[in-house]
Amino acid sequence: VQDRALYSYEHPRSRLSEAIRGIRAVLLTYPARDDCRRFMVTSCLEEEGKTHSSIGIAVAFAQLGSTVLLIDADLRRPQLHRLLGADEGPGLVESLVDSDEPARYVQRTKVPRLHMLSRGAPVEYPNELLASKELERLLERLADFYQVIIIDTPPAAVVSDALSLARGVDGVIMVVRSGKVSRALATKTLDSLRQVGARILGVALNDVPMESDVTYGSRYY
């Protein structure tokens, strides 16, 4: 599972890696806020590949030489710690309480210049936490340490957590798995994000079959 999550890092010349670099190129056209770019990755439904996409985008920026932080803001079904072989906590939840020292909860990954902040302890009301002023202050504090922050969030059409966070970032990337989500649902989800003031930077179409001699690399964005 970990090897699959870091496929673009382990196979930098694959079609998958090239596709993710294309996403990175688009994101680089948007100006940084306080010298730190903050992007949120979401999807309509579960199992569309948003978490793997978050990892791939974060890896691409790290390979460019940027200092990158990958945050697991999917407080209901956190996956980053499992995919990257890290500890589940302490992490984001604890750093919201101790926002003066957020770096103490950050973990290193095997990718140079890429760090991660796992979910941490389970919470009873995830939406309220993601909509809090504490999270806004935390992101501002973390911007002192990182040039790029990538935030993995829950599916926007399933729960409202992503909508709560969308206004506090520079832009949103929505991952859509080919053949899984209807055009109507994708459009409705994008409209919901726009209604809360989100800046939609693009939609990444995932799992598109392509001819290739590498099985996983043949399905890319």
Side-chain angles (χ1 to χ4, degrees):
V1 173
Q2 293 178 30
D3 290 341
R4 182 183 178 190
L6 290 174
Y7 185 91
S8 62
Y9 174 68
E10 301 289 353
H11 302 84
R13 297 185 178 182
S14 66
R15 290 183 174 181
L16 173 65
S17 299
E18 185 59 34
I20 293 176
R21 284 192 289 270
I23 296 175
R24 180 189 66 191
V26 173
L27 299 182
L28 283 170
T29 64
Y30 293 89
R33 177 195 305 181
D34 300 328
D35 297 322
C36 176
R37 292 181 171 89
R38 309 170 200 179
F39 301 121
M40 186 186 96
V41 181
T42 189
S43 60
C44 294
L45 304 174
E46 297 176 346
E47 298 182 356
E48 291 197 71
K50 66 173 182 61
T51 301
H52 280 85
S53 299
S54 299
I55 295 172
I57 294 169
V59 167
F61 273 106
Q63 290 175 323
L64 197 62
S66 300
T67 53
V68 184
L69 178 64
L70 183 58
I71 300 178
D72 195 339
D74 191 341
L75 303 184
R76 301 169 191 266
R77 294 186 61 188
Q79 298 292 324
L80 284 181
H81 67 282
R82 180 177 63 85
L83 294 174
L84 295 177
D87 295 329
E88 185 173 4
L92 174 60
V93 174
E94 288 77 13
S95 64
L96 288 170
V97 178
D98 188 15
S99 59
D100 289 336
E101 295 292 338
R104 66 184 295 187
Y105 302 107
V106 169
Q107 301 180 58
R108 294 182 178 272
T109 72
K110 66 184 294 184
V111 181
R113 294 176 296 279
L114 175 57
H115 296 173
M116 68 160 290
L117 187 62
S118 60
R119 179 194 66 178
V123 292
E124 188 173 359
Y125 301 106
N127 184 268
E128 285 76 3
L129 192 64
L130 294 177
S132 67
K133 290 292 184 181
E134 286 77 13
L135 181 57
E136 183 178 332
R137 286 193 288 268
L138 175 64
L139 291 177
E140 291 176 355
R141 186 73 181 91
L142 289 168
D144 294 336
F145 302 96
Y146 296 95
Q147 295 169 294
V148 179
I149 297 177
I150 306 294
I151 307 172
D152 181 43
T153 69
V158 177
V159 292
S160 60
D161 300 10
L163 301 179
S164 299
L165 187 57
R167 288 181 295 180
V169 298
D170 296 318
V172 176
I173 305 101
M174 191 171 80
V175 177
V176 175
R177 184 176 293 278
S178 176
K180 181 179 178 68
V181 174
S182 67
R183 182 183 295 271
L185 179 58
T187 300
K188 181 179 179 181
T189 304
L190 289 170
D191 288 342
S192 296
L193 287 164
R194 292 190 183 98
Q195 287 173 5
V196 299
R199 185 182 188 184
I200 308 297
L201 304 185
V203 175
L205 186 61
N206 187 25
D207 206 16
V208 180
M210 298 291 289
E211 293 182 3
S212 173
D213 56 351
V214 181
T215 302
Y216 184 64
S218 67
R219 297 182 174 271
Y220 75 104
Y221 308 89

